[in-house]
Amino acid sequence: MPNRQKQVLFCSAGLLSLSCALSAAVITGLPFWLRGTVLCRTGAELVNATGTELDKFLGELSYGLFHGERVKQCGLGGRPSRFSFFPDLLSSIPAGLHVIIILFCSVVVLFSSVASGFFFFNAFGRPYETLQGPMGLYLWTCICVTSCLVLILFASEVKIHRLSELISNFKEENFVFQTYSEHYDSCFWIFFLILVLHGLNLVLIRLAGIQFPFQGKKEVELSGGAADLMY
């Protein structure tokens, strides 16, 4: 492939990686990962509320990885409040899993930035056949694909560990809350888009004519073995 086309592909991949790094850094700190409603089960059971009557006992909840906001409805008007995971909720949530999610977000930010630099270096420099060259491009981009782990672990924390209910019932003595509905908010889907963009970068690397590392060696070994059999 001509050098001009390679430069265009690598620069495009570099800009995508840079945008992924900046986006991941911003959305990690925003409280828009999940939004839902929680039911005040105690209040609803006291008055045997059904159908539209449940609306008086439905509060709102939204949070991210560090902080969030909730409005509790128990039939007497809303009680808005804000909360922080660190250090308030550490004793009530699966803290180890939550910290791992944040660490993987940091990994995505770090290696997306590294990948961006290496893409620009390969576009305008003359890298050796080492981590600065094709092997590095595949390595850093594949590490960034671990953004899928952020999505999987966060979804498991929400669905399996019932994170919304743990937050809603934090320091509640008189009322019991349960999740009524919940859906992933904009930050979650932006992180999914980051995963897709890194997958697109792998395609751009291949379009630039760079084979996956060790693929060439494996083909040489196979051809050598066939030659041995012939003789």
Side-chain angles (χ1 to χ4, degrees):
M1 178 179 289
N3 289 332
R4 180 68 63 180
Q5 293 183 20
K6 280 188 176 182
Q7 286 182 349
V8 172
L9 288 175
F10 284 149
C11 286
S12 300
L15 290 174
L16 288 178
S17 293
L18 182 60
S19 63
C20 288
L22 295 176
S23 300
V26 171
I27 65 177
T28 297
L30 293 179
F32 305 118
W33 282 69
L34 187 132
R35 186 177 299 274
T37 56
V38 289
L39 173 66
C40 179
R41 193 174 68 187
T42 305
E45 289 176 351
L46 283 175
V47 299
N48 293 323
T50 57
T52 56
E53 296 175 349
L54 289 176
D55 294 341
K56 297 179 181 179
F57 302 94
L58 290 177
E60 297 180 352
L61 177 70
S62 65
Y63 56 88
L65 300 180
F66 291 95
H67 53 91
E69 187 174 348
R70 59 187 174 184
V71 178
K72 294 182 178 181
Q73 291 273 7
C74 292
L76 299 175
R79 291 185 294 157
S81 62
R82 294 184 178 182
F83 59 89
S84 175
F85 285 97
F86 304 97
D88 300 340
L89 290 167
L90 281 182
S91 59
S92 302
I93 64 171
L97 178 59
H98 199 79
V99 171
I100 289 174
I101 295 172
I102 295 174
L103 286 177
F104 274 120
C105 289
S106 302
V107 168
V108 173
V109 173
L110 174 62
F111 285 98
S112 294
S113 303
V114 172
S116 176
F118 274 83
F119 276 118
F120 286 118
F121 179 70
N122 279 265
F124 302 105
R126 295 182 177 272
Y128 295 101
E129 295 294 326
T130 59
L131 288 179
Q132 296 176 346
M135 186 183 298
L137 295 180
Y138 277 109
L139 176 62
W140 310 129
T141 306
C142 287
I143 292 177
C144 293
V145 177
T146 56
S147 53
C148 67
L149 294 178
V150 173
L151 304 177
I152 294 171
L153 292 176
F154 182 75
S156 67
E157 187 180 22
V158 170
K159 299 299 183 181
I160 298 176
H161 295 278
R162 299 175 181 266
L163 183 60
S164 298
E165 289 188 6
L166 295 177
I167 294 172
S168 300
N169 290 291
F170 177 65
K171 289 186 176 181
E172 277 292 338
E173 299 178 357
N174 301 321
F175 298 97
V176 176
F177 294 86
Q178 70 178 39
T179 304
Y180 189 79
S181 67
E182 56 187 4
H183 61 273
Y184 300 110
D185 210 351
S186 55
C187 289
F188 182 89
W189 296 115
I190 292 175
F191 225 95
F192 177 77
L193 179 60
I194 290 173
L195 171 63
V196 173
L197 291 179
H198 283 303
L200 178 60
N201 275 350
L202 291 174
V203 175
L204 291 178
I205 296 172
R206 191 65 188 89
L207 289 176
I210 299 176
Q211 293 185 346
F212 193 78
F214 310 118
Q215 182 178 352
K217 293 182 179 179
K218 194 174 291 186
E219 291 176 355
V220 171
E221 290 175 359
L222 289 175
S223 62
D228 291 340
L229 290 175
M230 290 178 65
Y231 293 102

